Amino acid sequence: MSILIKNGEIVTADKQFTADVYCEGETISAIGENLDVTADEVIDASGKYVFPGFIDPHVHIYLPFMGTFSKDTYDSGSRAALVGGTTTLIEMCCPSRSEEPIAAFNLWNGKAEGVSACDYTFHMGVTRFDEEAEKQLRQIVDAGITSFKVFLAYKGAFGIDDAELYDTLKLAKELGVVVTAHCENADLVARTQARLVAEAKVGPEWHEPSRPIQVEAEGCHHLMTFAEMTGAEVYVVHTSCKPAVDALTDARERGVQVGIETVIPYLVLDSSYAERPDFEGAKWVMSPPIRAKEHQDYLWQKLADGTIQTVGTDHAPFDFHTQKHMGHPDADKAVDAQFNSTGTAANFTLIPNGIPSVEERVNLLYTYGVTTGKIDLQTFVAVASTNAAKQFGLHPRKGDVVVGGDADLVVYDPEYRGKISVDTQLMDTDYSGFEGMEISGRPHLVTVRGEVAARDGAFVGTLGRGQLLRRGTSEQT
């Protein structure tokens, strides 16, 4: 199969020019003006952009969490990603402390293998560190999974202690892999939550005050101390606020290798969403929480100047009417979940965290970033694709439009106008966190390794064609 994309405006992280792109099989074979080639399919991209396939560096497709399971599978999740222009997913593999790392990796990979329509890889969660876990982590890295994930939150579930954090970072330094990290202070969160619940402050509007910006900033500072002492390269996921970014940039100035990610909900939503009445605010409960608008504005500025390298989603899909209602103060009336295992009445601490967003990231970033002038096209491509490819050992195979690279391409129509709606989404949840938001632009055509996978909002690809990607080491961005 060959595809010729003609007359498109090719945009990469550092270039913008009009040319044709010729793809043979799974790779890009030629780029140039007026290519004289014969192709099985010719696509006229006049008036449209040609972007590299987008990479979401932070998703949860399969996730056992807070007494329930995320709703998407790789069937729904990969289709949604592709229609939204994302051709590669990096999923968080998050075993419990009692699970063996290799068994967990095989479980997570088994959910994707033979099902996913887009390519995928994993950040391997480290939820305990001992001799056997270390041995298995080495084997997983040998298999091409070159990043770990640690939680400085969710104590007793995913969270690790300081000794385990130190040992994980030492191993990562030795192996040359990146440690991605959820940065909060677990003890401060637990104490604050307990106080608020004791004061009968139990609705979703109290989720953000239970995890204030100081808690996130302290978690970032804590990680930076350990990274500085071990020399490990780290990457902080879903950074939500100015004090957290400041803690990370201060460490950069001291020589710490740290990548910074934010996620699309923080860029287009603010804390007022979680304050909506009648428990509707539960739709927007995620951790760290969505912050006040001044932090949103700051994050856009730091994307524009290159301080923040990537925009992911932290896609974590849970239904509103059932799963999110596990934390409803009247949960006995809403679902059969009035009491948790400790006998405490239901409250905001039992709301499964996360917002379904893998389908909407690219269009929201383009609409509310590029068309408003907050970021330019090169930055858009960098933070949504190229920087993640470089950070996580996928470049230049992914994240660029280059001869020899995978034919993962997005022909993007900037003239499209529409609205986001749960009624049209492919994500398998009963609500959209971005319901009714206007969209200016969407993918006209999406290819994965040379196969057309999406056209004008419809999935036309092949389930099961996605590949587990064996990755190299990081290119510091």
Side-chain angles (χ1 to χ4, degrees):
M1 178 70 181
S2 58
I3 298 174
L4 176 62
I5 300 172
K6 292 184 63 65
N7 305 315
E9 189 170 353
I10 299 171
V11 183
T12 69
D14 57 5
K15 294 179 183 140
Q16 186 169 343
F17 57 99
T18 301
D20 303 340
V21 182
Y22 179 55
C23 308
E24 290 181 289
E26 297 192 348
T27 61
I28 298 171
S29 295
I31 302 170
E33 295 183 15
N34 303 313
L35 291 178
D36 185 14
V37 294
T38 300
D40 296 314
E41 181 171 1
V42 178
I43 297 152
D44 184 5
S46 299
K48 297 178 175 65
Y49 298 117
V50 179
F51 299 128
F54 294 102
I55 299 168
D56 192 334
H58 185 171
V59 301
H60 301 275
I61 304 296
Y62 171 68
L63 179 64
F65 187 49
M66 298 181 72
T68 189
F69 291 83
S70 52
K71 280 297 301 295
D72 273 326
T73 64
Y74 266 89
D75 181 326
S76 59
S78 68
R79 287 185 292 115
L82 286 164
V83 164
T86 294
T87 56
T88 297
L89 299 175
I90 308 182
E91 186 182 12
M92 301 292 179
C93 177
C94 300
S96 68
R97 286 185 68 85
S98 61
E99 287 183 272
E100 296 295 329
I102 286 179
F105 173 73
N106 289 336
L107 173 63
W108 257 258
N109 185 46
K111 301 292 183 179
E113 188 175 24
V115 181
S116 182
C118 63
D119 288 348
Y120 60 92
T121 181
F122 299 94
H123 303 297
M124 185 62 219
V126 182
T127 50
R128 76 171 203 273
F129 196 98
D130 54 34
E131 185 175 339
E132 182 58 29
E134 178 184 350
K135 175 184 174 182
Q136 294 187 26
L137 289 170
R138 289 178 181 275
Q139 294 172 339
I140 291 167
V141 171
D142 286 343
I145 303 302
T146 53
S147 53
F148 296 151
K149 169 68 182 289
V150 296
F151 289 88
L152 308 189
Y154 306 121
K155 196 170 185 178
F158 300 138
I160 58 175
D161 62 31
D162 282 353
E164 292 170 317
L165 175 61
Y166 181 80
D167 289 339
T168 300
L169 290 170
K170 275 189 65 181
L171 177 63
K173 173 63 175 177
E174 176 192 338
L175 300 179
V177 304
V178 181
V179 178
T180 73
H182 175 136
C183 290
E184 293 181 285
N185 184 292
D187 290 316
L188 285 174
V189 170
R191 295 283 182 170
T192 308
Q193 286 179 336
R195 175 177 59 79
L196 290 171
V197 171
E199 294 170 357
K201 296 173 179 176
V202 294
E205 67 272 21
W206 295 104
H207 175 74
E208 195 280 336
S210 79
R211 310 173 94 103
I213 58 175
Q214 296 92 334
V215 165
E216 184 182 350
E218 197 284 327
C220 290
H221 182 270
H222 193 83
L223 178 70
M224 293 303 96
T225 300
F226 280 70
E228 188 170 19
M229 291 186 67
T230 59
E233 181 178 354
V234 293
Y235 171 96
V236 178
V237 301
H238 50 42
T239 310
S240 75
C241 61
K242 183 179 186 299
V245 174
D246 289 348
L248 302 178
T249 54
D250 286 348
R252 270 189 190 157
E253 292 176 2
R254 301 195 304 270
V256 176
Q257 294 185 78
V258 53
I260 307 176
E261 169 195 284
T262 193
V263 293
I264 198 64
Y266 299 151
L267 295 171
V268 298
L269 306 171
D270 61 57
S271 55
S272 67
Y273 282 80
E275 296 165 1
R276 291 187 176 184
D278 302 322
F279 199 70
E280 188 181 5
K283 294 176 179 176
W284 295 281
V285 165
M286 63 180 293
S287 295
I290 300 169
R291 307 298 187 182
K293 190 174 184 305
E294 62 262 26
H295 296 286
Q296 177 190 116
D297 296 338
Y298 179 81
L299 294 175
W300 280 114
Q301 293 168 18
K302 294 296 135 180
L303 278 174
D305 71 16
T307 300
I308 298 174
Q309 282 73 56
T310 57
V311 177
T313 56
D314 193 13
H315 174 73
F318 298 99
D319 275 343
F320 171 62
H321 287 98
T322 53
Q323 293 171 304
K324 292 276 188 177
H325 270 73
M326 291 168 65
H328 196 292
D330 296 322
D332 58 321
K333 300 174 185 176
V335 292
D336 296 328
Q338 183 179 10
F339 298 100
N340 67 15
S341 60
T342 63
T344 304
N347 58 68
F348 70 88
T349 68
L350 302 182
I351 300 170
N353 288 198
I355 299 174
S357 44
V358 72
E359 189 169 347
E360 317 297 359
R361 175 185 65 124
V362 170
N363 292 336
L364 287 168
L365 188 63
Y366 180 84
T367 300
Y368 295 95
V370 176
T371 69
T372 62
K374 291 185 176 73
I375 59 173
D376 60 26
L377 280 167
Q378 282 71 43
T379 300
F380 169 68
V381 172
V383 301
S385 183
T386 311
N387 288 348
K390 290 181 176 181
Q391 181 84 65
F392 297 115
L394 291 169
H395 189 261
R397 178 183 177 186
K398 305 287 189 183
D400 214 337
V401 183
V402 292
V403 172
D406 280 1
D408 295 357
L409 298 167
V410 177
V411 179
Y412 198 84
D413 181 5
E415 299 303 316
Y416 174 82
R417 298 293 180 268
K419 286 185 179 181
I420 294 173
S421 172
V422 65
D423 295 332
T424 56
Q425 73 181 18
L426 296 180
M427 297 177 294
D428 192 21
T429 53
D430 64 359
Y431 81 101
S432 169
F434 312 99
E435 186 72 36
M437 294 186 74
E438 302 277 353
I439 291 300
S440 300
R442 77 169 180 186
H444 164 63
L445 182 136
V446 180
T447 67
V448 178
R449 287 181 287 107
E451 179 183 273
V452 176
R455 295 182 192 265
D456 294 323
F459 172 72
V460 297
T462 304
L463 287 170
R465 187 171 178 271
Q467 293 182 350
L468 173 64
L469 299 171
R470 183 181 177 92
R471 290 153 38 211
T473 54
S474 168
E475 298 176 33
Q476 186 66 20
T477 58

